[in-house]
Amino acid sequence: MSTTPDPSTHGPLEAIRTRIKSISVDAGRAPDAVTLVAVSKTFPVEAIVPVLEAGQRVFGENRVQEAQEKWPRLRDTFPDACVHLIGPLQTNKAKDAVALFDAIHSVDRVKLARVLAREIEAQGRHPVLFLQINTGKEPQKSGALPDDADAFIATCRDEIGLRIAGLMCIPPANEDPAPHFDLLADIAQRNGVEGLSMGMSADYDTAIAHGATHVRVGSAIFGVRATHR
């Protein structure tokens, strides 16, 4: 497998990169202000390699076990690849998550934050951490409620001692995402948090216009999602 980036080999990826730069500039931001997280969850190694060969280096996975099956061997060939956990994390998988992932976008509760802090101390690894905020107050989704967000951030940062790089949200599917992105940006600003992980294939353009620093794009790059094993 070649490791030389060749953007021309993956049209959808290059189109999204161009679109991200254009939207960023239109919003008065630097063209490289946004990190594209290519969501490779459920896709096999064979589908990920062409995207790596086209120069993409930041990927998102939903499950610890699936990432463990794919990324150690992919990193043998592409050692500069970064893997982000964007799905929910159980406390009993925290040790493995800290060992494997370069970033964790789904720190959604104080108990998990405490376990991650212990693992970070024990392993000496410091993945980039995003706290999940449930902006839509949906009972089926994880994350701190907006009214509890300030306290959650303070507990994680000041009491537990985690380095908090950003906040993450997943707006309700049937609502305009813009107010949710604005809400997350407001919470981040008043708490001195810079990173905003928000926006997916259907709404990443809106997210960028509202300040996203990381967008999580899967189907627009990889096509129809594979059925999970």
Side-chain angles (χ1 to χ4, degrees), residues 111-211:
K111 180 180 179 181
L112 175 60
R114 294 189 190 280
V115 175
L116 286 171
R118 290 198 293 270
E119 287 301 331
I120 287 168
E121 175 70 20
Q123 297 185 36
R125 294 194 81 248
H126 295 274
V128 175
L129 300 178
F130 293 80
L131 302 184
Q132 185 171 349
I133 309 299
N134 187 352
T135 58
K137 303 179 182 179
E138 297 177 277
Q140 77 276 19
K141 285 184 182 175
S142 300
L145 297 176
D147 289 346
D148 301 328
D150 293 354
F152 181 44
I153 294 168
T155 297
C156 291
R157 186 165 52 191
D158 302 332
E159 179 185 333
I160 300 175
L162 290 176
R163 303 175 188 175
I164 304 304
L167 305 180
M168 184 271 267
C169 76
I170 305 172
N174 59 346
E175 293 185 17
D176 178 2
H180 295 273
F181 296 153
D182 280 338
L183 175 58
L184 194 72
D186 288 344
I187 295 171
Q189 183 176 30
R190 69 172 179 255
N191 284 280
V193 178
E194 295 184 359
L196 291 171
S197 172
M198 57 189 197
M200 297 183 285
S201 289
D203 57 15
Y204 71 86
D205 51 348
T206 302
I208 293 169
H210 289 262

Side-chain angles (χ1 to χ4, degrees), residues 1-3 9-10 40 43-57 59 71 73-74 77-78 222:
M1 292 183 292
S2 171
T3 61
T9 64
H10 202 287
S40 51
F43 286 96
V45 166
E46 293 74 20
I48 299 170
V49 168
V51 182
L52 281 158
E53 290 178 336
Q56 177 65 22
R57 286 297 179 269
F59 292 81
W71 283 99
R73 54 183 169 140
L74 282 168
T77 306
F78 302 93
F222 292 98

Side-chain angles (χ1 to χ4, degrees), residues 30-99:
D32 60 351
V34 180
T35 297
L36 170 61
V37 181
V39 180
S40 51
K41 66 178 185 180
T42 78
F43 286 96
V45 166
E46 293 74 20
I48 299 170
V49 168
V51 182
L52 281 158
E53 290 178 336
Q56 177 65 22
R57 286 297 179 269
V58 183
F59 292 81
E61 293 285 345
N62 231 41
R63 300 172 70 241
V64 174
Q65 183 175 350
E66 182 185 350
Q68 287 174 320
E69 293 171 356
K70 295 190 295 190
W71 283 99
R73 54 183 169 140
L74 282 168
R75 280 172 163 163
D76 285 343
T77 306
F78 302 93
D80 56 343
C82 294
V83 187
H84 293 206
L85 178 64
I86 60 172
L89 177 61
Q90 298 175 346
T91 53
N92 64 356
K93 294 290 186 179
K95 180 177 181 178
D96 291 338
V98 170

